[in-house]
Amino acid sequence: MPDRPTIQAEERTEFGKGAARRIRRADKIPAVLYGHGGDPVHLTLPGHDTMMATKVNNAVVELQVGSGRRKQLALVKDVQRDPIKPFIEHVDLVVIRRGEKVTVDVAVTIVGEAAPETVVTVDNQVVSVSADATAIPENVEVSVEGLEAGTQILAGQLTLPAGVELLTDPEWLVVNISQQQSEEALEAELSEAEADAGIEREESDEDEAASGDAEEKPQESDSE
């Protein structure tokens, strides 16, 4: 479990796109803190410290807010990132308290190597769990070491840390291990697909030709 970072936060009273742009130009990040029935608190966070803290999933941070440095634990709920530039546009934080349970999605991480000539497919990248707010696992590791083709790992078979409860349907397929196709089989499939495409093109050309002949055929006159 990584150390919980401390972030110096300032309350803000300016809102809107213009205010957000000014905050970002100062290498800071606009954020909002909410939860436990209280009014949302709009914050400004330091850019570098926030970027480092949000590198892990479900990060829990300790905020020191305002001139009085009021301390508050918070779960990083959502991070909005610029689609092109490497910076954070906005952060949503949820108030948490020691000892309470929170519901989060935890990433599934594959470790080990399956048996030769197999393909490992992760059908569900995350699972939903209930965990202590101050002990949220960063991920759930799934070992596929030496597993043979045909092996399936369901959500209910995952090994979770103590105190973490699975909320995802236990019957959900998480990892599937299948037999790798040989080069010969792949080439045969490709050849068959190309042959089918060729037949479809020929049939389409024949239909177009028949349609063209019908349109060019002169109409017989009903008059004598």
Side-chain angles (χ1 to χ4, degrees):
M1 191 71 60
D3 293 335
R4 187 161 51 247
T6 299
I7 295 180
Q8 310 295 330
E10 300 294 337
E11 292 192 43
R12 59 188 173 96
T13 56
E14 288 188 309
F15 311 104
K17 293 183 178 179
R21 282 194 293 266
R22 287 192 293 274
I23 291 171
R24 297 187 194 106
R25 281 198 297 267
D27 193 26
K28 296 181 179 180
I29 299 170
V32 62
L33 174 67
Y34 57 89
H36 283 284
D39 294 332
V41 179
H42 296 273
L43 303 171
T44 298
L45 307 179
H48 176 73
D49 290 348
T50 305
M51 182 78 74
M52 296 301 293
T54 55
K55 282 186 174 182
V56 299
N57 297 322
N58 301 313
V60 173
V61 299
E62 182 173 76
L63 300 174
Q64 292 190 345
V65 184
S67 57
R69 294 304 173 203
R70 171 173 57 88
K71 294 183 179 181
Q72 175 63 63
L73 284 179
L75 170 68
V76 178
K77 191 67 174 177
D78 183 55
V79 180
Q80 298 174 23
R81 302 181 187 274
D82 186 273
I84 299 174
K85 300 176 182 177
F87 67 81
I88 296 174
E89 294 186 333
H90 191 272
V91 175
D92 285 7
L93 301 158
V94 177
V95 173
I96 58 175
R97 295 170 181 164
R98 288 179 174 82
E100 77 171 319
K101 293 278 190 177
V102 294
T103 298
V104 293
D105 289 336
V106 179
V108 173
T109 302
I110 301 299
V111 294
E113 296 288 339
E117 299 183 355
T118 59
V119 176
V120 178
T121 304
V122 182
D123 281 57
N124 284 287
Q125 303 284 343
V126 299
V127 290
S128 181
V129 302
S130 173
D132 188 292
T134 59
I136 301 171
E138 185 177 338
N139 54 49
V140 176
E141 290 189 350
V142 180
S143 175
V144 297
E145 186 64 38
L147 297 183
E148 300 287 344
T151 303
Q152 294 186 329
I153 301 175
L154 307 181
Q157 296 173 302
L158 300 177
T159 301
L160 301 177
V164 177
E165 177 188 357
L166 179 71
L167 300 181
T168 294
D169 186 340
E171 297 301 315
W172 270 26
L173 177 63
V174 177
V175 178
N176 184 47
I177 301 176
S178 56
Q179 186 66 45
Q180 186 180 49
Q181 275 191 304
S182 65
E183 290 186 10
E184 292 78 6
L186 287 172
E187 289 176 358
E189 280 191 9
L190 181 60
S191 297
E192 184 177 349
E194 289 176 345
D196 290 343
I199 293 173
E200 290 179 359
R201 282 196 296 271
E202 290 177 2
E203 291 177 347
S204 177
D205 292 343
E206 290 175 358
D207 290 342
E208 289 180 3
S211 176
D213 291 343
E215 291 177 356
E216 293 174 4
K217 183 178 180 179
Q219 298 292 323
E220 295 183 1
S221 174
D222 291 335
S223 61
E224 294 296 333

